[in-house]
Amino acid sequence: MADIRNNFVGIKSPNPFWLASAPPTDKAYNVERAFKAGWGGVVWKTLGEEGPPVVNVNGPRYGAIWGADRRLLGLNNIELITDRPLQVNLQEIKQVKKNWPDRAVVVSLMVPCQEESWKAILKPVEETEADGVELNFGCPHGMSERGMGSAVGQVPEYIEMVARWCKANTRMPVVVKLTPNITDIRYPARAAKRGGADAVSLINTISSITSVNLDTFSPEPSIDGKGSHGGYCGPAVKPIALNMVAEIARDAETRGLPISGIGGITTWRDAAEFMALGAGNVQVCTAAMTYGIRIVQEMISGLENWMDEKGHKDLSSIVGRASGNVTDWQYLNLNYIAKAHIDQDLCIKCGRCHIACEDTSHQAITANLNGARHFEVKDEECVGCNLCVNVCPVENCITMVPLAAGVLDKRTEKPVVADYANWTTHPNNPGATCVTG
Amino acid sequence: MSDGVHRDGIAAGRLSAEDYAINFSDLHPPLSAHEARVEADRCYFCHDAPCMTACPTSIDIPLFIRQIVVGNPLGAAKTILSQNIMGGMCARVCPTETLCEEACVRETAEGKPVKIGELQRFATDAAMTANRQFFARAQPSGKTIAVVGAGPAGLACAHRLSMHGHDVTIYEARSKPGGLNEYGLAAYKATDDFAQAEVDYITAIGGIRIEHGKALGRDVTLDSLLKQHDAVFLGIGLGGVNALGASGDEASVAAVDFIETLRQATDLAGVPVGRRVVVLGGGMTAIDAAVQAKLLGAEEVTICYRRGPEQMNASAFEQELATANGVVIRHWLQPKKVFHNGGPDVTGVELEYTAMRDGKLVGTGETVSLLADQVFRAIGQTLDGVSAAGVTLTDGRIAVDAGFRTSNPKVWAGGDCVRAGEDLTVTSVAQGRDAAESIHRALGA
């Protein structure tokens, strides 16, 4: 059986599945339930500084978009950091950690951008025996208007400064949670590393408006007829998060910096993908908020079964395995040629591949054969774009089949070349450094 | 209740009022908004959709389902009704399992097609509930057209002609419009007087006048109609019922008459039915008669059909509906004799086993007798020759060209009275519609 025990910057947990800092980790009641269900760790919902707690809106906090059958694909929220008294949270954290010594309990923090404020919050958190802290530089809504959350995360100098303060004032590992609401995720990640952070976690939520009420013309979620951008999360953001994790994992300056992967993780497969791209563990929120916390059971067994099937003994044998395969476009092999192939036995003849190709791509799929409905790829037209694969409702019905070296590509009427060749050496590239042949 | 069911002979009031209400309630209750949304989400929006090809009226099914998904049921209704003004009734009575739903790619994929018929009802109900009309009349053409028969073909023809600005007079023999929708379908397929509500909805476009009590060949003649109108459309259906060709035939009852009596009854408790009923035939009418006889409280109902299950005109769904309601379907039996007491009281029926020999159906000589108080014959209907006088027939039905024009250049025909397509409501609507287009073109020429 695969060993899925996790050691993330020295924080140990029985599995790599943590609940992210969010509503599911706002109090002992939920966290206790999560640990009973099997979660490896939690990042406690963000604490603010001592004093009157923040207040939340009293109307809707969440907006959403849905796919077919009203499957929730994306969720946004305008909830702020914990609105419970600091002391209550600290007491509960201490008790929960005592009850569950084998689980990871990390505490998310967000206080004003002054060293004294950070110093003041770190001390009592340390006293709870929590395993680490996560600096919330990510939340794009509400707190950012007060100079916190993503307002810090959008300025690399602030990230570095605060990370440094925290490292100087606590023995606990410091994880910096990054906002995706920037143009290049590598800059804040580099800043966190320069500031001495032990790790980064990403992504936090994306600034968003989920919908507009067409009766009232108010954005959703609507508070008395008005709306404010919220933080977007859930399956819809996973591709954005995967890319940002990969960018940090392969950046020369940040390579090797531990990453806790976050963003739309719903299944074991999502988790494995994040880890393959370089995340040391993962954090989950929306999936738990959609289906309840017991989804972790599927995540654990799915990950174990896959690792057993593939012979991966422990997490270190999968983390980062895909990062080396993320490259720049210019290094992709232009001699690699694939053609779509439709399995006629699996085809249900919906014709979506045909119309997608016909209307919007390369006119490379037939609709008829001898007067009967028949969908088949025309190799002489197919550029291998994969659109048909993506729109086909039957899994594995259409596949991309690579052409072997020497085989004639009917589209170009040239044989497939075995050698690797990319844009940097392509004759059409005016800036090509090394033109061969 | 058991007393009622076990009472010998033909009797009314076999069941309690509550049982009648339950038995004759909607066969497919309407989908709720949630059910419709979940079902509509299953549609793949196929290219050149097979369901659309399979629909005799070529409704753009993927489009109307997509309109339901996005919360636009009235848009969906317009999509349906622009091809099939009787989309509401067709949603209820179409054998979708042999038409659109059989062709659905999800039938191929999972054996569970999208419930196109029920979604069509959802959309058309929305439009009729909102009393939303989608079609306006064109400028008056000054032409008038006589439509004979206010059934599906005649009404569809009249509606399309009215859209083109023509004035239409419908000559209808019976006291109510709707044709088989009103008189000939099982009650549980069109509850709450839907047939009349739909006629009102269709005729609300204006320019359509219905004259009741006017039968062709009895009250009006084709010549007189041609003198008064610029064109004539015959949607006269099949007025005659085939005889059994068995002795004692006169003691049997036409299934269509039984269904009509039931449909027109104000109180089902007043409709008599036998304790033991035998229905002879294998089509939709046989099923409708048999199931309704059972639902009226007959203890035993048996359908006897002279061929096998594959040859039955009734769809598999209809056959299952019958057996699920306790009707016994027996195959390879043809009627020889209806036993009766010399008067109208039937006591049983003698049947002969049949077999296919050298491609021909033959009696084997072996017979079986069944007890019966009531025998319904549902072995096909025929064109009433009197009403069709003046146009050429082919195979016992009115001969028409591709535009549904008869041998008389000013006369068109469609629906069950012509030999084209299946005898279905949806086919009749398509033919009435297409005949109207043909008439419109001819009048404009």
Side-chain angles (χ1 to χ4, degrees):
Chain A
M1 177 70 91
D3 179 0
I4 63 166
R5 283 177 300 169
N6 187 229
N7 184 338
F8 187 76
V9 295
I11 303 169
K12 289 178 181 159
S13 55
N15 61 58
F17 304 110
W18 292 5
L19 280 175
S21 167
T25 60
D26 191 29
K27 49 187 188 298
Y29 177 83
N30 305 76
V31 174
E32 288 274 349
R33 285 174 66 86
F35 284 160
K36 277 178 202 149
W39 289 91
V42 300
V43 180
W44 203 277
K45 184 171 164 85
T46 308
L47 310 185
E49 63 183 344
E50 184 77 69
V54 302
V55 293
N56 269 302
V57 295
N58 297 297
R61 299 175 188 188
Y62 304 112
I65 65 160
W66 299 272
D69 205 15
R70 212 175 148 89
R71 291 273 166 175
L72 191 143
L73 298 182
L75 185 73
N76 97 348
N77 84 90
I78 56 169
E79 182 173 297
L80 302 183
I81 61 173
T82 184
D83 55 11
R84 306 188 320 142
L86 178 62
Q87 291 310 320
V88 172
N89 275 310
L90 292 169
Q91 282 159 18
E92 289 187 4
I93 291 166
K94 187 168 189 172
Q95 187 61 47
V96 168
K97 183 61 199 176
K98 197 175 164 192
N99 295 349
W100 299 88
D102 70 323
R103 307 303 171 93
V105 178
V106 172
V107 179
S108 174
L109 300 174
M110 183 196 287
V111 295
C113 233
Q114 300 148 4
E115 186 168 9
E116 287 313 305
S117 300
W118 286 95
K119 211 170 164 179
I121 190 80
L122 285 166
K123 183 103 179 125
V125 171
E126 224 164 55
E127 286 166 2
T128 65
E129 305 289 327
D131 298 294
V133 290
E134 184 182 80
L135 314 187
N136 182 344
F137 296 159
C139 282
H141 52 275
M143 302 308 285
S144 57
E145 297 169 13
R146 307 175 200 177
M148 292 181 265
S150 65
V152 177
Q154 286 165 339
V155 183
E157 292 77 10
Y158 293 172
I159 294 174
E160 182 178 343
M161 178 176 71
V162 179
R164 186 165 286 126
W165 290 340
C166 291
K167 282 305 289 180
N169 286 292
T170 181
R171 59 167 169 79
M172 295 181 288
V174 173
V175 180
V176 171
K177 187 164 180 178
L178 302 179
T179 175
N181 299 301
I182 39 83
T183 47
D184 188 336
I185 196 67
R186 293 174 300 180
Y187 289 87
R190 290 168 186 163
K193 190 174 181 191
R194 281 197 303 271
D198 297 280
V200 290
S201 57
L202 71 158
I203 59 174
N204 204 308
T205 56
I206 302 172
S207 296
S208 59
I209 291 173
T210 49
S211 60
V212 174
N213 183 314
L214 294 178
D215 295 323
T216 63
F217 288 109
S218 168
E220 299 282 6
S222 173
I223 311 294
D224 194 23
K226 305 277 187 206
S228 180
H229 74 264
Y232 193 47
C233 53
V237 312
K238 178 188 140 189
I240 297 165
L242 281 179
N243 177 56
M244 289 185 167
V245 165
E247 287 297 291
I248 293 169
R250 75 188 187 98
D251 180 56
E253 281 188 48
T254 54
R255 189 173 296 142
L257 178 66
I259 301 168
S260 185
I262 313 168
I265 295 162
T266 307
T267 66
W268 73 266
R269 193 178 289 274
D270 298 329
E273 288 170 12
F274 270 85
M275 295 175 80
L277 280 174
N281 72 3
V282 295
Q283 298 183 31
V284 177
C285 172
T286 310
M289 291 183 73
T290 307
Y291 301 109
I293 49 173
R294 75 190 184 93
I295 54 163
V296 73
Q297 293 161 14
E298 174 281 318
M299 292 177 162
I300 291 169
S301 85
L303 184 67
E304 284 174 344
N305 287 341
W306 169 70
M307 288 173 65
D308 285 345
E309 188 188 318
K310 299 291 182 182
H312 303 304
K313 289 193 164 42
D314 54 29
L315 297 180
S316 66
S317 53
I318 61 170
V319 171
R321 286 286 292 273
S323 354
N325 292 329
V326 182
T327 185
D328 294 340
W329 191 97
Q330 63 181 334
Y331 301 124
L332 297 175
N333 183 4
L334 295 174
N335 283 342
Y336 173 83
I337 298 172
K339 303 278 180 190
H341 176 262
I342 301 172
D343 183 329
Q344 296 300 327
D345 292 332
L346 289 175
C347 177
I348 60 171
K349 297 185 168 52
C350 68
R352 288 190 357 187
C353 56
H354 162 79
I355 203 61
C357 193
E358 191 71 17
D359 280 356
T360 70
S361 291
H362 300 88
Q363 297 77 50
I365 299 180
T366 67
N368 291 285
L369 180 67
N370 302 327
R373 236 173 135 70
H374 182 82
F375 303 96
E376 196 165 310
V377 176
K378 295 183 253 184
D379 283 353
E380 62 276 20
E381 303 293 342
C382 179
V383 304
C385 76
N386 211 40
L387 177 64
C388 54
V389 173
N390 294 330
V391 302
C392 177
V394 180
E395 199 176 13
N396 298 324
C397 173
I398 310 181
T399 47
M400 297 305 297
V401 181
L403 299 189
V407 171
L408 186 77
D409 176 356
K410 289 184 187 165
R411 185 174 71 87
T412 59
E413 296 183 325
K414 288 178 186 157
V416 176
V417 178
D419 303 334
Y420 161 83
N422 64 43
W423 175 244
T424 63
T425 58
H426 196 277
N428 290 15
N429 180 0
T433 51
C434 173
V435 179
T436 56
Chain B
M1 172 186 149
S2 57
D3 282 353
V5 170
H6 295 140
R7 199 179 311 150
D8 280 332
I10 298 174
R14 290 184 183 273
L15 305 177
S16 69
E18 193 188 0
D19 287 332
Y20 285 117
I22 293 168
N23 288 357
F24 287 89
S25 62
D26 222 330
L27 179 61
H28 298 292
L31 297 179
S32 68
H34 171 70
E35 289 171 314
R37 174 67 194 269
V38 170
E39 192 60 27
D41 263 341
R42 298 185 62 234
C43 174
Y44 283 141
F45 202 72
C46 296
H47 161 68
D48 187 20
C51 53
M52 190 173 161
T53 309
C55 174
T57 54
S58 306
I59 292 169
D60 191 340
I61 293 164
L63 178 61
F64 95 67
I65 294 180
R66 192 169 175 83
Q67 287 167 316
I68 291 174
V69 170
V70 299
N72 181 13
L74 293 179
K78 185 178 179 186
T79 301
I80 295 161
L81 297 173
S82 62
Q83 285 296 114
N84 179 341
I85 194 62
M86 256 180 198
M89 185 60 88
C90 290
R92 289 162 168 79
V93 304
C94 261
T96 51
E97 64 280 1
T98 62
L99 297 170
C100 52
E101 291 177 19
E102 182 179 55
C104 178
V105 301
R106 297 204 80 146
E107 168 68 21
T108 313
E110 302 125 54
K112 288 196 179 74
V114 175
K115 293 175 183 169
I116 298 167
E118 293 185 51
L119 288 171
Q120 180 167 316
R121 175 170 174 182
F122 178 80
T124 51
D125 278 1
M128 287 181 65
T129 303
N131 198 22
R132 180 72 177 271
Q133 291 285 324
F134 300 106
F135 310 101
R137 300 192 67 197
Q139 289 296 311
S141 67
K143 310 276 187 189
T144 78
I145 292 108
V147 167
V148 185
L155 286 163
C157 182
H159 185 268
R160 186 56 65 101
L161 289 169
S162 175
M163 275 174 65
H164 286 307
H166 308 301
D167 287 329
V168 179
T169 303
I170 302 181
Y171 298 88
E172 168 57 51
R174 294 171 186 267
S175 58
K176 285 188 192 173
L180 289 178
N181 290 356
E182 173 60 37
Y183 293 98
L185 298 167
Y188 45 77
K189 291 180 184 171
T191 57
D192 302 320
D193 213 12
F194 182 78
Q196 291 309 304
E198 188 173 55
V199 172
D200 291 344
Y201 180 78
I202 292 169
T203 54
I205 189 172
I208 301 171
R209 193 162 55 89
I210 306 180
E211 291 194 14
H212 290 285
K214 295 285 174 64
L216 186 60
R218 183 187 74 192
D219 309 299
V220 291
T221 64
L222 192 54
D223 282 345
S224 67
L225 294 179
L226 285 167
K227 284 195 185 89
Q228 292 173 60
H229 300 280
D230 297 290
V232 174
F233 174 80
L234 301 176
I236 55 180
L238 298 173
V241 177
N242 284 334
L244 293 177
S247 75
D249 196 348
E250 66 280 6
S252 69
V253 174
V256 290
D257 292 341
F258 167 68
I259 293 168
E260 177 177 336
T261 303
L262 192 151
R263 280 295 299 275
Q264 298 307 311
T266 49
D267 180 7
L268 290 169
V271 180
V273 71
R275 179 179 180 180
R276 297 182 183 89
V277 176
V278 171
V279 182
L280 302 167
M284 295 293 201
T285 303
I287 301 280
D288 283 357
V291 172
Q292 292 190 107
K294 190 79 183 130
L295 296 176
L296 279 176
E299 185 186 3
E300 291 175 19
V301 178
T302 309
I303 290 175
C304 297
Y305 178 56
R306 62 194 178 126
R307 296 174 191 268
E310 306 79 41
Q311 288 84 30
M312 285 183 87
N313 274 332
S315 67
F317 170 81
E318 292 283 334
Q319 295 180 47
E320 281 169 26
L321 178 72
T323 52
N325 277 286
V327 172
V328 174
I329 303 180
R330 296 183 64 167
H331 300 99
W332 304 110
L333 286 173
Q334 64 184 11
K336 290 289 283 181
K337 188 174 187 180
V338 178
F339 297 112
H340 56 95
N341 61 358
D345 294 341
V346 170
T347 55
V349 59
E350 183 184 56
L351 302 119
E352 181 185 17
Y353 282 93
T354 56
M356 290 300 289
R357 301 254 167 84
D358 304 325
K360 286 186 71 178
L361 188 75
V362 295
T364 64
E366 184 188 357
T367 61
V368 62
S369 291
L370 301 177
L371 287 175
D373 313 300
Q374 209 169 20
V375 173
F376 294 132
R377 55 182 193 278
I379 56 169
Q381 288 150 260
T382 54
L383 186 65
D384 175 357
V386 177
S387 55
V391 291
T392 305
L393 305 188
T394 177
D395 286 344
R397 308 245 188 137
I398 299 171
V400 287
D401 66 12
F404 297 95
R405 206 172 198 165
T406 69
S407 57
N408 182 328
K410 293 185 77 177
V411 180
W412 281 255
D416 290 354
C417 65
V418 304
R419 180 71 68 189
E422 292 183 78
D423 292 343
L424 297 171
T425 303
V426 65
T427 314
S428 297
V429 172
Q431 294 174 355
R433 176 198 70 192
D434 294 348
E437 293 293 347
S438 172
I439 293 168
H440 176 63
R441 284 194 299 273
L443 293 182

